């Protein structure tokens, strides 16, 4: 609604791309935005093809983890995708769409640079310094990020309004105190990005080094701002929160303060006592925990606040592989974290990479 034009979100009732194409084109859009993960990028390209086939004048913009790490998606779409937003796009997307609707050149005032090839050490930096990718003379090129793409701080972003019809059926698995049939889940973030810099992770492509790609100031929300959104979501009937921060336990002091504020807000009746919480952690080593103000005892504080599940990026059962990935933890570090969480009664979840 910050745009001067009307926006509509499409939630498909069926997986048919043909049906989805018709639903989209019924609304006679000038711009269509597609969020793309790697697991369904082929479907996104096919949907773009179907839309362009029926209305070549529609501009199609993609964003998300896949195009942010692999802008070559534009070339593979054979001209059916016009722009790829590189990273979180609150300001960038708005500026891009306004340029399109006003008939202006979206590249005006932006320098173009060549996209470094996969494996080139300059590639990640080039993507982080760019707002979006376009096709130019048959090649994928990067349009530089400029001042209008930047946000003062995370707190300066408005709290997103939620429509409950979009939340209906949104659940986060069976490993929670609230069973899936009773879950009404919403996602939210306390910070953008991660300061770990693991070699395999696309987080820095989306949020930049240490999450500061799109901010003048802090990439971390104030505790008061997070509580404000939790109160709003609780009032909307949301009873399960998935914090999508890549590393929720990046800062121990912040995490503990937030957990205590959630507990207090529940006692005061501002947040429902029934609200459960889930977050993704990193099994930091003792040395890293000291630097970050982290203690194993903080898991009890999280449990008291209503956290019911903690997920870890395990990635590999080999310390040698973890070292190759530039992880700062070992399997024994993970075991310590899991043991303490087990003692609190919370569930745990692990993410692994195969191949």
């Amino acid at each position: 609604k910050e745009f001067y034009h009307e926006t509509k979100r499409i939630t498909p009732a069926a997986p048919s791309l043909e049906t989805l194409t018709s639903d989209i084109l019924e609304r006679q859009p000038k711009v269509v935005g597609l969020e793309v993960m790697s697991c369904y990028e082929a479907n996104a390209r096919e949907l773009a093809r179907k839309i362009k086939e029926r209305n070549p004048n529609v501009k199609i913009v993609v964003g998300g983890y896949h195009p942010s790490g692999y802008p070559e998606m534009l070339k593979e779409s054979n001209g059916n995708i016009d722009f790829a937003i590189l990273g979180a796009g609150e300001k960038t997307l708005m500026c891009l769409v306004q340029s399109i609707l006003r008939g202006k050149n979206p590249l005006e005032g932006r320098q173009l640079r060549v996209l470094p090839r996969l494996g080139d050490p300059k590639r990640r930096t080039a993507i982080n310094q760019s707002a979006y990718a376009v096709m130019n003379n048959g090649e994928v090129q990067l349009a530089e990020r400029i001042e209008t793409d930047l946000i003062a701080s995370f707190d300066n972003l408005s709290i997103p309004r939620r429509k409950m019809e979009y939340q209906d059926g949104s659940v986060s698995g069976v490993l929670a105190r609230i069973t899936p049939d009773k879950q009404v889940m919403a996602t939210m973030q306390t910070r953008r990005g991660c300061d770990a810099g693991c070699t395999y992770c696309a987080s820095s492509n989306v949020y930049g080094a240490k999450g500061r790609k799109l901010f003048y100031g802090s990439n971390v929300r104030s505790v008061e701002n997070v509580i404000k959104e939790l109160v709003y979501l609780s009032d909307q009937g949301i009873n399960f929160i998935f914090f999508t921060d890549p590393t929720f336990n990046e800062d121990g002091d912040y995490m503990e303060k937030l957990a205590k504020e959630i507990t207090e807000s529940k006692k005061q009746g501002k947040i429902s006592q029934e609200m459960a919480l889930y977050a993704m952690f990193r099994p930091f080593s003792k040395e890293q925990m000291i630097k970050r103000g982290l203690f194993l005892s903080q898991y009890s504080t999280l449990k008291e606040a209503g956290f019911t599940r903690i997920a870890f990026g395990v990635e590999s059962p080999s310390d040698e592989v973890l070292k190759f990935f530039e992880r700062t933890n070992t399997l024994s570090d993970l075991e310590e974290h899991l043991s303490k969480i087990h003692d609190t009664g919370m569930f745990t979840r692990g993410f692994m990479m195969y191949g």
Side-chain angles (χ1 to χ4, degrees), residues 318-330:
S318 165
D319 282 335
E320 184 178 348
V321 173
L322 292 176
K323 186 176 180 180
F324 175 77
F325 286 154
E326 298 183 14
R327 298 277 294 188
T328 56
N329 67 277
T330 64

Side-chain angles (χ1 to χ4, degrees), residues 147-174:
E147 188 174 349
T148 54
D149 298 308
L150 299 176
I151 301 163
S153 72
F154 205 161
D155 274 358
N156 282 80
L157 289 175
S158 59
I159 291 174
R161 290 185 296 175
R162 315 289 178 119
K163 289 189 176 181
M164 291 307 294
E165 60 262 37
Y166 297 153
Q167 306 299 142
D168 186 36
S170 180
V171 301
S172 184
V174 297

Side-chain angles (χ1 to χ4, degrees), residues 32 37-38 50-51 100 131 136 141 169 254 277 313 321 338 346:
V32 173
M37 298 287 278
S38 298
K50 288 179 177 292
I51 292 171
I100 293 171
N136 188 43
Q141 294 197 338
Y254 176 93
L277 308 147
V321 173
L338 293 177
M346 290 188 288

Side-chain angles (χ1 to χ4, degrees), residues 249 281-285 299 312-313 327-330 333-334 337:
N249 62 334
F281 278 44
R282 190 178 177 89
F284 287 113
S285 65
Y299 286 122
F312 287 101
R327 298 277 294 188
T328 56
N329 67 277
T330 64
D333 295 323
L334 174 64
H337 286 271

